[in-house]
Amino acid sequence: MTEQEMRKRLEALRIEHRDLDAAIEALSASGSSDQLQIAQLKKRKLLLKDQIAILEDYLIPDIIA
């Protein structure tokens, strides 16, 4: 995977993460009793967060000054 492909993937993951955040908020605000769906969305959101962190660590290396 090239750096450009990784950057595109990272942006797509960030967008999906934001969308999931909005969906979770909307379901919670509507008083939805479907806690299973909310839990599944939260789990997916955490997985995305981990994938985002991995790509960011690869693309933006730590520089110890």
Side-chain angles (χ1 to χ4, degrees), residues 1-60:
M1 186 182 268
T2 67
E3 184 176 333
Q4 184 178 6
E5 291 172 333
M6 282 190 251
R7 291 188 187 283
K8 286 181 183 178
R9 176 76 177 137
L10 181 59
E11 185 59 31
L13 291 172
R14 286 178 175 158
I15 290 169
E16 187 177 351
H17 188 269
R18 266 193 311 263
D19 291 347
L20 281 173
D21 195 34
I24 291 167
E25 188 176 322
L27 281 172
S28 297
S30 72
S32 176
S33 61
D34 192 357
Q35 294 301 314
L36 178 60
Q37 183 181 15
I38 292 172
Q40 289 172 334
L41 292 175
K42 286 182 178 182
K43 185 176 181 179
R44 174 71 180 146
K45 187 177 162 192
L46 286 173
L47 290 172
L48 289 174
K49 184 178 178 183
D50 290 343
Q51 291 176 351
I52 289 169
I54 290 168
L55 283 173
E56 285 176 339
D57 287 346
Y58 185 80
L59 292 170
I60 307 167

